[in-house]
Amino acid sequence: MFHEEYTALCNAGVAKNNLLKKNPLGYFISSMVAGMFISFGSMVAFVLGQSMDGNGAAAAVKLIQSVAFASALSLVVMAGAELFTGNNLVMAAASLRKKVSWADTVRLWCVCWIGNLIASLLCVVAFQLTGLPTAGDGAIADYFIKISSAKVSLGVGQILVRAILCNILVCLAVWCGTKMKTESGKLIMIFWCILIFMTCGFEHSIADMSIIGIGVANGGITVGQYLYTVLLATVGNIIGGAVFVAVPYHVISKEK
């Protein structure tokens, strides 16, 4: 069961590893593109959230933000880019089937994470340069600080578990994208998976890079708090994608 789909996932891991080895600059740029896409999704989600904040419609705010953020992963999957969280599934699957060494998988994760980070920080700088966060009474900046403060105040266990649950859903979106035969089917499954994790408030390390980054840029969050949250979310995301999605489907799809 699922043998064909899991093999396709492993083949994708092999292709990613080959791209990194043969064209490292191209791979790094692709990872930066993914970081940019996730930053766009984060910005639109929370700018929308700020516009609705205080109107007594908390459920509506979460729903709108979830729908808006789904644009980020949609861009990654449909336009094509290297996202760290999705690669937690793809590369782990390839390594579990011995198509790619674990050393190569960890190396690719590191390069991808750094590319995602650099692009996220560049997007934070660009967002600040637009003047939007501080326009008027600075309501957008205050809203990002409010959201970021809630994230960085979480305990170690809370961040880890939220990040694990987040990447289970993100990687399920990637897995469903492998199984779906049409682009519309892929987009629908991306939407549902993102809707769950955003509405519940789980932690996506790459999204946090830009969300909390805007909090840092506006003086509400320290660099230490930024690193604490992003790094813990990164560990949780790896566990969620590799342990709770790649391993189960490896066992399910394995032939005798």
Side-chain angles (χ1 to χ4, degrees), residues 129-152:
L129 291 175
T130 65
L132 290 170
T134 55
D137 58 356
I140 291 177
D142 290 341
Y143 188 74
F144 272 92
I145 291 172
K146 172 184 170 182
I147 297 299
S148 299
S149 297
K151 289 176 176 290
V152 301

Side-chain angles (χ1 to χ4, degrees), residues 9 37 40 46-47 54 66 74 97 105 110 119 123 148 159 161 183 186 194 200 203 206 210 217 225 232-233 239 247:
L9 203 64
F37 289 163
F40 286 162
F46 290 101
V47 168
S66 302
S74 298
R97 287 289 165 87
T105 285
C110 290
C123 285
S148 299
I159 295 174
V161 174
E183 292 184 349
K186 293 179 182 182
I194 300 305
C200 292
E203 294 298 324
I206 311 305
S210 52
Q225 290 174 314
L232 277 176
I239 296 170
V247 171

Side-chain angles (χ1 to χ4, degrees), residues 95-169:
S95 290
L96 286 167
R97 287 289 165 87
K98 296 180 169 48
K99 302 292 185 181
V100 174
S101 72
W102 280 106
D104 282 340
T105 285
V106 172
R107 174 171 170 263
L108 184 140
W109 282 349
C110 290
V111 173
C112 188
W113 189 89
I114 292 169
N116 290 171
L117 174 66
I118 291 174
S120 297
L121 295 178
L122 288 174
C123 285
V124 169
V125 172
F127 190 56
Q128 290 298 120
L129 291 175
T130 65
L132 290 170
T134 55
D137 58 356
I140 291 177
D142 290 341
Y143 188 74
F144 272 92
I145 291 172
K146 172 184 170 182
I147 297 299
S148 299
S149 297
K151 289 176 176 290
V152 301
S153 66
L154 295 171
V156 172
Q158 291 173 312
I159 295 174
L160 283 173
V161 174
R162 292 186 188 200
I164 289 169
L165 295 174
C166 169
N167 214 28
I168 288 173
L169 289 160

Side-chain angles (χ1 to χ4, degrees), residues 61-83:
V61 171
K62 283 200 168 188
L63 180 61
I64 294 298
Q65 286 179 319
S66 302
V67 171
F69 188 77
S71 63
L73 190 57
S74 298
L75 283 170
V76 171
V77 172
M78 304 310 290
E82 289 297 304
L83 180 63

